[in-house]
Amino acid sequence: MTEPSPSRASLACLPHDHSHCVSDALASAERICAQLGVRLTVLRKRVLELVWQSHKPLGAYDILGVLSGEDGRRAAPPTVYRALDFLLETGLVHRIASLNAFVGCNHPGEAHQGQFLICRSCHAAVELEHPAISTAILDGARTVGFQVEGQTVEVLGLCAPCQAAA
Amino acid sequence: MTEPSPSRASLACLPHDHSHCVSDALASAERICAQLGVRLTVLRKRVLELVWQSHKPLGAYDILGVLSGEDGRRAAPPTVYRALDFLLETGLVHRIASLNAFVGCNHPGEAHQGQFLICRSCHAAVELEHPAISTAILDGARTVGFQVEGQTVEVLGLCAPCQAAA
DNA sequence: GTGAAGGACGTTATTCTATAACTCTTTTCC
DNA sequence: GGAAAAGAGTTATAGAATAACGTCCTTCAC
C-alpha cells in the first residue's frame, strides 16, 4: 500500500510560478480522464481550474459564488457538488474535512492517501506524501485488528514562510 | 510531545460492560473539572453522558433531539454547541471532523492527539494512541519546515468484529 | 445581606454546508 | 434517426454551526 519512497511535498506557500501549477493540473486532468474514459466537461474543468487558483482550500460556496454570474451560467449548489464529486472520484481534488473545503491534488493518477499540512496563517494546504505516516497508521490499526480503507490526515500549524514572518 | 509508550486503544466495538465506560467517564469529568476550577453543570454533564451512551460519534443535532422534550428543558442549537465547546476545551470529548460528530475521550486529563479508527459498518470510533503516528507526522512536517500545532487523524475501515461478521 | 460582575443558559435569527428529487438537454451508440 | 444514458438546471429542503441579545443565577467583595 505504501512503497518506501522519500517524503514529498508541494511548493504551496513558497513563492513559485503558480500558472505552471494550474496548467499542469489541467493537462494532467485531461490525460487522466482520457485514460479513465470519463468526460472532463467544460463545467468540471472550470471547477478544477477554480480549485487550483491558489493552494488555499476552497469552499463549495466560494466556487458557487464565482460560477454564478459567469458567462450566462446560472449555478446552484448541486451543480458545484456534482462537479466536485466527479473530481474527487477521479482523484483530481481532495476534500479537507476539517475545513469543509477542496484543494487540487498534487499528484493525481498515483494511488495515495491525502496528507495535508494546513497553515493557520496563510491558509495554504501543503499536500505531503510521507509514507512513514501511512505505515504508522496501518501499524497502529493492526494492533487492534482494524482493516484500513481510508486515511484522513490533516495537520494544523504554521508553514515555514509564516513562521519567518512572525 | 510524544512519549515512547506502547500503543493503546479502547474496547469500543468489542463487547464490554458499557455502563462502566459511562460511569468512569462521568467520574473522571467531575475530577478533572474540579482540578481545573471549572463547572460541570447539569447540562454539560448530561451532554457528556449522551455522548458516552455509545462509542458511535454523535451529531450535535442528535444530542439536541434527545435534550428537547426531556424534563421541561427546551433546547436550541447554541445550548448544545456551548456544552460541546466546553467539553472539547476541557478535553472530555473529541470532535470527528470527517463525521461532524462528537465522541467521548478515552483518557481525558492526559495530553494527547486524538487518533480514531472509524468502522464504516458499526460506526464505532475507536480512539487509538499510537505514538508512532504522531512521530511520523512531526517527522514529515519537519522535512518541509512546518510547525505542527494540531493533528487530525481519522481512519475509515472495518473493525475486527465487523470483519468477522462479514 | 446587598449589589455588582461574570458565567451559564434561553431565544431568535441567520449563515454555511450538503443533498433529494425532478426536469431538461446533450452525448453516445446502435 | 432514435433510444439510452450521462450531464446539468431547478426547486426545495436537510443538516451543521454561529451571531447577537436577553435573562437568570452564582459568587464574592463590601
Side-chain angles (χ1 to χ4, degrees), chain A residues 19-90:
Chain A
S19 65
H20 279 323
C21 296
V22 180
S23 57
D24 288 0
L26 293 178
S28 296
E30 296 278 13
R31 181 176 44 78
I32 288 165
C33 287
Q35 281 173 2
L36 293 175
V38 295
R39 292 168 53 198
L40 185 62
T41 63
V42 172
L43 175 66
R44 290 166 175 176
K45 193 169 179 176
R46 179 71 183 122
V47 169
L48 181 61
E49 194 181 5
L50 287 174
V51 165
W52 269 103
Q53 266 188 352
S54 78
H55 292 280
K56 306 186 204 332
L58 205 59
Y61 281 72
D62 296 327
I63 295 169
L64 187 56
V66 177
L67 285 185
S68 295
E70 209 171 60
D71 316 316
R73 214 195 304 276
R74 266 173 292 178
T79 297
V80 173
Y81 281 102
R82 277 191 292 240
L84 287 170
D85 286 345
F86 170 85
L87 296 171
L88 286 170
E89 277 164 21
T90 51

Side-chain angles (χ1 to χ4, degrees), chain A residues 69-142:
Chain A
E70 209 171 60
D71 316 316
R73 214 195 304 276
R74 266 173 292 178
T79 297
V80 173
Y81 281 102
R82 277 191 292 240
L84 287 170
D85 286 345
F86 170 85
L87 296 171
L88 286 170
E89 277 164 21
T90 51
L92 297 172
V93 305
H94 290 287
R95 182 170 189 275
I96 310 289
S98 59
L99 298 176
N100 292 329
F102 303 84
V103 72
C105 174
N106 276 321
H107 27 83
E110 305 170 36
H112 68 286
Q113 300 291 335
Q115 302 169 344
F116 295 93
L117 305 177
I118 303 161
C119 180
R120 67 165 161 79
S121 175
C122 69
H123 302 114
V126 177
E127 184 171 357
L128 193 63
E129 194 173 357
H130 194 62
I133 297 174
S134 291
T135 301
I137 287 174
L138 292 173
D139 213 52
R142 198 183 317 117

Side-chain angles (χ1 to χ4, degrees), chain B:
Chain B
M1 194 169 179
T2 51
E3 66 292 348
S5 68
S7 171
R8 271 195 301 174
S10 69
L11 304 165
C13 48
L14 272 62
H16 63 284
D17 182 353
H18 186 63
S19 65
H20 280 322
C21 295
V22 181
S23 58
D24 286 0
L26 293 178
S28 295
E30 296 279 14
R31 181 175 45 77
I32 288 165
C33 287
Q35 281 173 3
L36 294 175
V38 295
R39 292 170 50 198
L40 186 62
T41 63
V42 172
L43 175 66
R44 289 166 176 177
K45 193 169 179 176
R46 180 71 183 124
V47 170
L48 181 61
E49 195 182 3
L50 288 174
V51 166
W52 269 103
Q53 266 187 351
S54 78
H55 292 280
K56 305 187 205 331
L58 205 59
Y61 280 70
D62 296 327
I63 296 169
L64 186 58
V66 177
L67 285 185
S68 294
E70 210 172 60
D71 315 317
R73 214 195 302 276
R74 265 172 295 177
T79 298
V80 172
Y81 281 102
R82 277 191 291 240
L84 287 170
D85 284 346
F86 170 86
L87 296 171
L88 285 169
E89 276 165 21
T90 51
L92 298 172
V93 306
H94 290 287
R95 182 168 188 276
I96 310 289
S98 58
L99 299 177
N100 291 329
F102 302 84
V103 71
C105 174
N106 277 320
H107 26 83
E110 306 170 36
H112 68 286
Q113 300 290 336
Q115 303 169 342
F116 295 94
L117 305 177
I118 303 162
C119 181
R120 67 167 161 78
S121 174
C122 69
H123 302 114
V126 178
E127 184 172 357
L128 192 64
E129 194 173 358
H130 193 63
I133 298 174
S134 292
T135 301
I137 288 174
L138 292 173
D139 214 51
R142 199 182 317 118
T143 66
V144 293
F146 189 92
Q147 181 184 320
V148 175
E149 296 178 351
Q151 305 178 0
T152 297
V153 177
E154 299 170 11
V155 180
L156 192 71
L158 274 184
C159 69
C162 287
Q163 285 171 56

